[in-house]
Amino acid sequence: MRVDVAVLRRDFPIFEAQPAPFHYLDSAATAQICRPALEALCRFEGKARANVKRGVYRLAEAATRAFEEARRQVARLLGGVDPAEVVFTAGTTLALNLAAHGLSPRLGPGRRVLVSVLEHHSNLVPWQLACARTGAELVAVPATADGRLDHEALERLLDSRVAVVALTHASNVTGAVSDVARVARAVRAVGAVLVVDGAQRIPHGPVDVRRLGCDLYAFSGHKAYGATGAGVLWGRRELLEPFPPFLGGGEMITRVTLAHSSYREPPHRFEAGTPPIGPVLALGAAARWMMAQDWQALRAHEEALTRRLLAGLAAMRDVRILGPTDVGERIGVVAFTLESHHPHDICQLLDERGVCTRGGHHCAQPLMDHFGIEASVRASLAPYNDEADVDALLEGLETVRRILG
Amino acid sequence: MSARLYHEAILAEARRGEGAGRLEAPERVVERDNPLCGDRIRLEVQLRDGRVVALRHTTRGCLLTRAAASLLARLAPGRTPAELAELDRRLEHWLAGAGEVPDEALALFAPVREVSSRHDCVRLPFMAAAALAREEAS
């Protein structure tokens, strides 16, 4: 079925608020919030605000119920997992730091952590820190020339020394989607744990994490049509169970004396203090919105736009596309360089035409090194984009070339 | 606004690239990165009696950074590192909308004042120069 973008945009208040021209092509950084998520956030903060998990009055009980309902909605988005396996965090970064902390007891001298060259800094730096703390060795898995995970190289690196493999599901630069199921089988064969950064993949449709076969999966609400401030770490119950506490505080304990504390079961053990309740409720509403969409149609829509964008860029002189050109292997996240023009100069001039893109290293400096560049321009698509957005970008680039020479 | 940002004077200054290159035997070297985009500048400086007598830069950056580096190369000779640090401080204030332009040569950056995300692009060379003074102080 064809996607009617005008109808779909009614679900996104930003399109009523922003003056034309408005071509939002930075959803990989932050997607626009969908109306149900915004309403859930506003309803809670304005009409139903109370803390969760403690109060006995009706308002607090309702807040707790809504909070746990959000957990159930996220569990559905992840393929119908056990809601107790869904840990709410402040975002992907905190989720991956929690993963690195929780898996640290498995690390030590002689043990290895594999990370790919494709990783966002948030799925690299926590592992650098964990390795420095424990004496484990961090080993890089290379990428292919067109910015995909080198699956063969990864499989060659897998042996009994490997304790953790941490990979992005989809690159925030090249858009390449890794074959996580294939990786998971190989990782399981050596008894290691597979941590997946799903921040870029989740906004492109629900993910069945059990079917993928990974052990931990992280993502952010604000990239998945929710509010900023909430994210998720999903983990297999048997894996989360022995994780040591991460942040200490209220809500995560069973009993505290001056000398000692005992801790609750997951997920509450990892949700110290007052959680970001409004953003979590928004995330739950966004997950429900996502589950109501026809992702087969949206995927076809995204592929058509990605094809149009890739073809338009490929037809331009001195444009270098960073990523696979086969739309079947990628999401609609397209990074490129234009001659030797600096990405910030390009993005600034595109903004003049209402085209919102991202320029920089995209928090993926090792991948920039892989391509032999410092930075790139990135256009990222979401269901609410249309042909006019892609064309505005392509026409804008011609203007950039004219101005910058 | 953006098109105005890239007016002819800024484009020309960036292309001019005054002071681009290396000194044969620099007395002082500082490097500064812009964490936002990975841009980098390396300053090589020769001092006499505490004042800059020669400055060269290797700049990997956007047009604004390159134009600013070119201007720094013109403004630095004769100044002390402390005076360059003061120039950076005043440049920061002026970009933020306060005070007078610290030197008429920098007035071409006036349109950048409206675009706060690009202030550090202009300041990067001057922040590197200010680091010379901090090194002296320590």
Side-chain angles (χ1 to χ4, degrees):
Chain A
M1 209 176 82
R2 198 170 180 282
V3 174
D4 187 336
V5 173
V7 171
L8 195 132
R9 281 185 180 175
R10 288 186 206 141
D11 281 350
F12 291 86
I14 190 86
F15 294 103
E16 293 163 14
Q18 286 295 317
F22 178 59
H23 304 286
Y24 190 76
L25 294 170
D26 197 21
S27 294
T30 291
Q32 295 302 332
I33 190 169
C34 65
R35 195 178 298 278
L38 182 60
E39 286 173 357
L41 178 68
C42 294
R43 192 182 316 116
F44 171 73
E45 299 291 5
K47 295 179 177 170
R49 184 174 155 111
N51 214 327
V52 292
K53 302 184 191 178
R54 281 291 185 270
V56 296
Y57 49 94
R58 282 167 292 168
L59 190 65
E61 292 223 327
T64 302
R65 271 198 307 276
F67 191 82
E68 294 307 322
E69 175 57 22
R71 206 188 299 276
R72 280 189 286 277
Q73 293 301 332
V74 170
R76 284 179 65 222
L77 184 69
L78 295 174
V81 297
D82 180 352
E85 296 179 328
V86 173
V87 180
F88 284 123
T89 68
T92 306
T93 299
L94 195 66
L96 291 168
N97 276 273
L98 166 57
H101 176 82
L103 291 170
S104 286
R106 293 169 178 252
L107 306 179
R111 304 293 278 159
R112 288 179 152 190
V113 174
L114 304 189
V115 293
S116 88
V117 167
L118 295 168
E119 299 316 305
H120 187 285
H121 295 165
S122 62
N123 200 26
L124 172 58
V125 180
W127 301 107
Q128 289 175 339
L129 295 170
C131 287
R133 254 190 335 261
T134 61
E137 184 187 2
L138 191 73
V139 179
V141 181
T144 61
D146 65 349
R148 288 174 293 118
L149 177 69
D150 187 334
H151 285 84
E152 287 75 25
L154 168 60
E155 283 160 10
R156 281 195 296 277
L157 285 166
L158 283 172
D159 59 28
S160 59
R161 290 172 295 179
V162 177
V164 174
V165 178
L167 296 175
T168 185
H169 194 170
S171 164
N172 73 316
V173 175
T174 69
V177 177
S178 296
D179 186 348
V180 173
R182 172 179 168 180
V183 173
R185 285 191 295 276
V187 168
R188 199 176 310 121
V190 297
V193 172
L194 177 58
V195 182
V196 177
D197 171 1
Q200 292 300 330
R201 171 57 188 81
I202 274 279
H204 301 272
V207 171
D208 188 331
V209 289
R210 290 268 179 194
R211 184 177 289 180
L212 277 183
C214 61
D215 299 294
L216 294 163
Y217 197 93
F219 72 95
S220 293
H222 72 100
K223 293 191 202 292
Y225 319 110
T228 57
V232 167
L233 179 69
W234 168 82
R236 290 179 188 280
R237 182 191 280 265
E238 61 275 19
L239 189 68
L240 289 178
E241 203 70 47
F243 268 26
F246 180 41
L247 301 174
E251 312 286 358
M252 48 79 77
I253 49 82
T254 53
R255 171 86 179 125
V256 175
T257 67
L258 279 176
H260 298 288
S261 298
S262 52
Y263 308 108
R264 295 181 70 184
E265 296 297 302
H268 308 291
R269 188 189 304 156
F270 311 115
E271 295 176 353
T274 296
I277 305 167
V280 163
L281 300 194
L283 174 51
R288 187 197 288 266
W289 179 86
M290 283 188 69
M291 291 301 289
Q293 303 306 308
D294 176 354
W295 283 99
Q296 202 177 346
L298 291 178
R299 178 72 192 146
H301 171 65
E302 183 186 333
E303 280 187 9
L305 291 183
T306 306
R307 208 174 282 119
R308 187 183 187 95
L309 176 53
L310 289 170
L313 290 172
M316 293 177 81
R317 184 167 44 85
D318 296 325
V319 165
R320 179 184 175 196
I321 297 168
L322 310 172
T325 49
D326 178 354
V327 294
E329 292 182 6
R330 54 148 50 250
I331 52 171
V333 171
V334 179
F336 60 93
T337 58
L338 173 63
E339 297 181 16
S340 58
H341 298 313
H342 193 283
H344 276 176
D345 295 328
I346 296 169
C347 295
Q348 193 84 59
L349 285 162
L350 288 172
D351 177 53
E352 186 72 15
R353 303 170 70 93
V355 180
C356 309
T357 54
R358 175 61 63 99
H361 52 59
H362 313 300
C363 298
Q365 284 182 306
L367 185 55
M368 297 295 113
D369 292 341
H370 169 75
F371 286 122
I373 58 175
E374 304 306 326
S376 65
V377 179
R378 182 185 69 189
S380 48
L381 301 166
Y384 40 67
N385 288 120
D386 63 7
E387 288 86 351
D389 295 327
V390 171
D391 294 348
L393 168 63
L394 295 171
E395 287 158 21
L397 290 173
E398 291 298 350
T399 308
V400 168
R401 204 196 289 278
R402 245 190 341 270
I403 292 173
L404 298 184
Chain B
M1 175 175 67
S2 303
R4 202 156 63 80
L5 199 67
Y6 293 94
H7 59 72
E8 197 44 53
I10 286 183
L11 296 175
E13 191 63 52
R15 287 187 194 116
R16 186 171 299 131
E18 183 103 2
R22 311 284 292 263
L23 288 177
E24 209 156 277
E27 191 177 327
R28 306 277 297 278
V29 175
V30 287
E31 286 189 346
R32 188 90 189 192
D33 292 310
N34 183 343
L36 187 67
C37 51
D39 285 355
R40 168 171 286 188
I41 187 164
R42 174 190 169 92
L43 294 184
E44 298 183 349
V45 177
Q46 211 66 49
L47 298 165
R48 191 179 302 141
D49 300 329
R51 292 186 181 277
V52 174
V53 288
L55 180 147
R56 293 283 181 276
H57 62 90
T58 310
T59 304
R60 184 185 73 202
C62 63
L63 280 167
L64 300 181
T65 299
R66 279 158 35 214
S70 179
L71 282 167
L72 174 67
R74 291 208 262 144
L75 294 173
R79 297 185 197 235
T80 65
E83 286 167 350
L84 289 173
E86 174 62 12
L87 187 61
D88 176 52
R89 193 190 65 77
R90 290 177 57 207
L91 176 62
E92 180 185 13
H93 279 253
W94 175 67
L95 286 169
E100 298 293 314
V101 62
D103 189 293
E104 270 311 309
L106 297 168
L108 80 174
F109 291 121
V112 185
R113 300 171 84 192
E114 295 172 35
V115 190
S116 58
S117 61
R118 304 301 299 278
H119 289 183
D120 281 357
C121 303
V122 174
R123 282 190 60 213
L124 187 67
F126 294 88
M127 286 192 280
L132 289 168
R134 278 200 302 280
E135 277 181 8
E136 280 185 349
S138 63

